[in-house]
Amino acid sequence: MKYHIVTYGCQMNLHESEKIAGILREKGYDEEAPVESADIVVFNTCCIRENAENHAFGNIGALKKLKRERKDMLIAVGGCMAQEEGKAEIIRKKFPFVDILFGTHNLAELGELIERKRLTKKRVFSLKDERGETEDNINPVRTGYPGAWVNIMYGCNNFCTYCIVPYVRGRERSRRADDIVREVEGLVKDGYREITLLGQNVNSYRDGETDFPALLERVAKIGGKYRLRFMTSHPKDFSEKLVDVIAKYPNICRQIHLPVQSGSNRILSLMNRRYTREKYLGEIQMLRKAIPECAVTTDLIVGFPTETEEDFLETLSLVEAADFSSAFMFAFSPRTGTRAAAMDGKVPDDVAKDRLLRLIDFVNERTRKMSARYVGASVEILCEGYDERKGLYLGRDEFGRMGYFPSERNPIGEFVTLKIHSANGISLFGNEEFK
Ligand code: SAH
Ligand code: SF4
Ligand code: F3S
């Protein structure tokens, strides 16, 4: 039997799809296949912004016809959107051909749900409120070689007023440090070369005495040729202790993803981010003092309720001051049930869109200039794939920059040094340097 998984959303979801694949393999679905020939199709959804949901609804809806022709095919919908009550209701009513719906807290039960569906022939909807345990005994089918994702914590307690994640992922819970270290050791032994530790807010990780910097240090010390990344850091508890650990271990990538969201203190306070622009810039200064070359990337939202042109200009000036190497940029999308969705002062869509385009230009211009400075330099990348369209291999350096190069052999999984001859946007192009 064959399976097909469609994933939306963040790295957390990408990794959970690997776990879903692990469960499906145990259930006898032993091969991945295109949707047309799959015996089960699983949608692992995201509800962070409206367009993520619309995408998923559109693609689920598109299966209606196929399902009519192939009655035995199972369709399952899981992930963050499935966990949201209102959206689960829409799937129940408007998508009667969906066989199984499972929430974020029910992932480990997917095998049983499939079994139940096979036995009863009835639709199976399973939505738990909260999952307590942090270990699941699922063998993920890893798809990111030479990279591997490792969860260190689940959920979020921050309740940024725009964000749905705390509602669909539940309260913060950390995995045991020993379990994490053991998992990473196994991955390194298996030849993975880049380990990314995942959590919505890794800086609030805690297992007894072990906080995030202590965990990171344990994982950095394992030994072997691999590098470490982690995401996401929340500026409200970014610490000097963390910076010291990064500075001490060269295998921790010199790139921090530190979402700032806005440069206006008034908006930051309405967002419940619990830091000011001054505190944020102070952290960046502290970081660069210790590790001058460290790249900082960020997330930015425009069009939050009541955002004025002045607030927006403060975001631009923060972008300038922080010297980000790149950014993910979004227009505010109201999420039912969050505090921001009920706030007055909606920014008209055309204004938000205009600000988003201006912000993208502003950020990209800086990114381009930064990339251009790399021309002529040597950078070490970890080759992670092949770009069919460009006909080039690709990989990222420790600062998160993508480098492309031609090769006669298959260098995926190798650390390769490139001499950069040109740059385009955030991409660098070069040739392998052999020493
Ligand atoms: N836990 C991470 C981010 C999770 S969501 C953190 O705290 O940084 C990823 C990004 O999506 C956020 O950083 C934010 O910029 C954006 N985002 C979240 N909710 C949003 C919404 N309602 N509208 C627009 N962007 C949103
Ligand atoms: Fe959402 Fe804020 Fe939690 Fe990030 S820290 S997941 S933005 S509530
Ligand atoms: Fe991730 Fe989207 Fe859920 S960003 S945590 S998959 S809402």
Side-chain angles (χ1 to χ4, degrees), residues 8-10 12-13 45-48 80 164-165 168-169 200:
Y8 305 92
C10 59
M12 196 82 73
N13 252 22
T45 61
C46 168
C47 55
I48 198 86
C80 292
I164 193 79
V165 171
V168 292
R169 290 276 172 174
Q200 292 299 347

Side-chain angles (χ1 to χ4, degrees), residues 48-49 156 158 160 162-165 199-201 232-234 257 259 261 273 299-301 328 330-335:
I48 198 86
R49 284 169 293 275
C156 181
N158 290 317
C160 303
Y162 49 81
C163 184
I164 193 79
V165 171
Q200 292 299 347
N201 175 12
T232 300
S233 298
H234 195 306
H257 188 61
Q261 315 298 358
R273 289 290 287 182
D299 294 347
L300 295 158
I301 297 177
F328 295 106
F330 312 103
F332 169 71
S333 168
R335 308 284 66 207

Side-chain angles (χ1 to χ4, degrees), residues 257 297-300 324-329 363-364 367:
H257 188 61
T297 55
T298 201
D299 294 347
L300 295 158
F324 296 122
S325 43
S326 66
F328 295 106
M329 296 162 270
V363 169
N364 287 355
T367 306

